[in-house]
Amino acid sequence: MAREISRQTFLRGAAGAVAAGAVFGSARAIADPVPSGWEGLSTAISGQLILPDNGQFAAAKQVFNTNYNGATPAAIVTPTSVADVQKAMAFAASHNVKVAPRSGGHSYIGASTATGALVFDLRQLPGGITYDAASGRVTAPPATSLWDLHQTLAASGRGIPTGICPTVGAAGHALGGGLGAQSRHAGLLSDALTSATVVLPSGQAVTASSAENPDLFWALRGGGGGNFGVTTSLTFATFPIADADVVNVHFPTESFAQVLVGWQNWLRTADRNSWALADSTTDATGTHCRIMATCPAGSGNSVASAVTKAVGVQPTGTDVQTFNYLDLTKYLASNNLNPAPLAYVGGSDVFRTVDAGAAQGIAAAVNAFPAGAGRMLAIMHTLDGALATVAPGATAFPWRGQSALVQWYVEPSGPPSTVMNWLNAAHQAVQPHSVGGYVNYVEAGQSPARYFGQNLSKLTAVRQKYDPGRVMFSGLNY
């Protein structure tokens, strides 16, 4: 996930850790993984195999979302070649051990780790980032951070559409769709995917593209990370970059519902080279709401005026700044390019349109957030522009004809059960208007149909074809 907004660390004592374990648990991948044969795998690969009795295991099994550090994988393999991935995958399949690939480890439900699973830590795969100027395409290993991709591409005057958390891995972000600040003009990151190399549960390495294994390629573009095999390389199309203005228009907290309707009304006629999110943040300083827009350099003041007019509420403050592409990327990440791991909880709801009823439901959920429960963000992401020009069935990502989604995100400062209860209530507040959720903000216990809609049956068929033994561990059972 991709988390779209910067986070601050909260104090989490031992009591909180115990409570988190009680609420989140640790997903069980298999009852008792076969202990024999690990030594053979260890000697067969060039990378490292770390078992629970290894002193490095406690550190190696940690993921970015610390809610899931209590999981106890059967082992962690750190492949240093595609051949390593193939050997480890074949081992897992033959020993009935589930496989959990890990790139950034940001999953909302800890899907890149599981008790009893063989975790593939993909951060040591070779290849690095390679940009081909002739084709305008960039190729990278799956665990490459979004920030590293932006840095490399900016040196050549190019960019890709990504989210704004810098440490999210390319594979996790892209395979679930990949929504971000460039989506209105460049689509999703999954739309920019032109090919991928995938090691299937059989141990076979294949290419997925429009020409090779096109059904797998279809599924990789929005079907969620780690559901079909271990992706070892991804190639994306890029676009030319330019300077941009960032506009922040702050509004009174009590006007949030009106802000949401105005935000969508402005986007309906805004040039695709402009983008905006609307959000409400509750933290130790109180509750704040705003619209943050990006637009071509020099147009910021006119965009601020147009946004204000669309909302129809006098702002409490407005600011406009101009950035080059790389500095814009830093700004959107709040200049926190190496955020520390922490505990967070979240989810989402997708809307056909943000009318007064949907906006009031979102605002009611924000107002109901319990005092002292932590830092909460309700973030509106637009689903219009270039991403909406793709047919809903052309890729696995289904939300092409809807207008927006809300990302519910909380860093708990108290019992996680309080936040989970609020999240359930937030879903209920918008239930009459919600048509589903975004798989990169996946939640435990939800139906796969909630994330894939009409594309679920085809996804199920693709998964059955490429992983008939259900070797791949997934937070979604389909």
Side-chain angles (χ1 to χ4, degrees):
M1 132 166 179
R3 294 173 294 136
E4 300 295 323
I5 294 294
S6 62
R7 305 174 175 101
Q8 64 187 46
T9 302
F10 282 80
L11 296 175
R12 298 181 296 277
V18 172
V23 172
F24 300 106
S26 55
R28 188 82 185 170
I30 192 170
D32 286 301
V34 178
S36 62
W38 291 115
E39 183 176 347
L41 176 60
S42 180
T43 57
I45 62 175
S46 57
Q48 189 175 16
L49 182 69
I50 305 174
L51 297 171
D53 61 358
N54 187 307
Q56 301 176 50
F57 184 80
K61 74 185 184 75
Q62 294 180 1
V63 291
F64 193 86
N65 187 345
T66 59
N67 282 325
Y68 300 98
N69 283 344
T72 306
I76 299 161
V77 62
T78 305
T80 57
S81 66
V82 173
D84 279 358
V85 177
Q86 292 179 277
K87 293 171 184 177
M89 187 73 97
F91 174 90
S94 64
H95 288 80
N96 194 32
V97 179
K98 294 286 189 182
V99 166
R102 184 176 80 202
S103 53
H106 286 248
S107 171
Y108 272 26
I109 58 169
S112 52
T113 188
T115 294
L118 177 56
V119 171
F120 283 57
D121 183 340
L122 302 174
R123 290 174 289 182
Q124 299 303 315
L125 282 177
I129 303 171
T130 303
Y131 173 65
D132 178 51
S135 66
R137 293 179 178 179
V138 64
T139 300
T144 305
S145 74
L146 301 183
W147 171 242
D148 286 345
L149 276 168
H150 284 302
Q151 279 189 297
T152 299
L153 287 172
S156 298
R158 309 294 291 184
I160 55 173
T162 75
I164 61 178
C165 180
T167 52
V168 166
H173 186 63
L175 300 182
L179 190 65
Q182 298 89 17
S183 295
R184 293 194 78 238
H185 77 85
L188 303 169
L189 185 55
S190 61
D191 296 334
L193 185 69
T194 61
S195 67
T197 302
V198 183
V199 176
L200 303 175
S202 65
Q204 179 186 10
V206 301
T207 297
S209 68
S210 59
E212 299 179 76
N213 302 296
D215 54 350
L216 178 59
F217 183 56
W218 176 90
L220 292 177
R221 288 176 293 160
N227 289 328
F228 313 99
V230 175
T231 302
T232 58
S233 178
L234 305 102
T235 299
F236 301 102
T238 65
F239 56 78
I241 58 177
D243 292 355
D245 284 354
V246 175
V247 179
N248 284 285
V249 186
H250 303 272
F251 294 97
T253 301
E254 62 273 13
S255 66
F256 190 44
Q258 189 171 343
V259 167
L260 296 182
V261 174
W263 165 78
Q264 182 171 267
N265 287 341
W266 175 73
L267 283 167
R268 283 196 176 105
T269 58
D271 182 272
R272 283 190 187 176
N273 289 312
S274 296
W275 164 88
L277 63 75
D279 64 14
S280 178
T281 302
T282 298
D283 57 23
T285 66
T287 299
H288 315 273
C289 79
R290 64 166 178 172
I291 291 174
M292 179 176 69
T294 62
C295 53
S299 62
N301 289 325
S302 62
V303 164
S305 297
V307 165
T308 300
K309 182 179 179 180
V311 173
V313 172
Q314 183 64 31
T316 57
T318 301
D319 62 82
V320 178
Q321 301 178 69
T322 303
F323 297 99
N324 65 37
Y325 185 80
L326 203 56
D327 285 341
L328 172 63
T329 304
K330 294 178 186 177
Y331 176 85
L332 295 175
S334 295
N335 292 310
N336 186 7
L337 301 178
N338 189 28
L342 76 168
Y344 50 94
V345 178
S348 63
D349 281 281
V350 174
F351 305 100
R352 288 190 181 91
T353 185
V354 182
D355 57 16
Q360 289 164 8
I362 296 165
V366 167
N367 292 337
F369 187 72
R375 181 170 180 254
M376 182 277 294
L377 297 95
I379 310 162
M380 299 298 299
H381 302 276
T382 182
L383 295 173
D384 67 344
L387 76 86
T389 65
V390 179
T395 71
F397 183 86
W399 308 124
R400 306 291 188 169
Q402 291 69 33
S403 69
L405 68 85
V406 61
Q407 175 189 2
W408 310 109
Y409 172 83
V410 183
E411 296 164 2
S413 61
S417 57
T418 300
V419 171
M420 296 304 295
N421 290 337
W422 172 80
L423 181 57
N424 290 333
H427 287 311
Q428 287 299 314
V430 299
Q431 190 277 329
H433 310 278
S434 175
V435 296
Y438 175 34
V439 73
N440 274 356
Y441 304 146
V442 64
E443 298 170 65
Q446 297 289 334
S447 166
R450 186 168 191 273
Y451 300 103
F452 302 122
Q454 65 185 23
N455 290 336
L456 178 59
S457 59
K458 183 174 179 179
L459 267 175
T460 302
V462 173
R463 190 171 185 195
Q464 179 63 26
K465 175 181 176 179
Y466 290 97
D467 184 18
R470 293 299 191 267
V471 173
M472 303 306 299
F473 172 72
S474 175
L476 291 170
N477 295 314
Y478 63 87

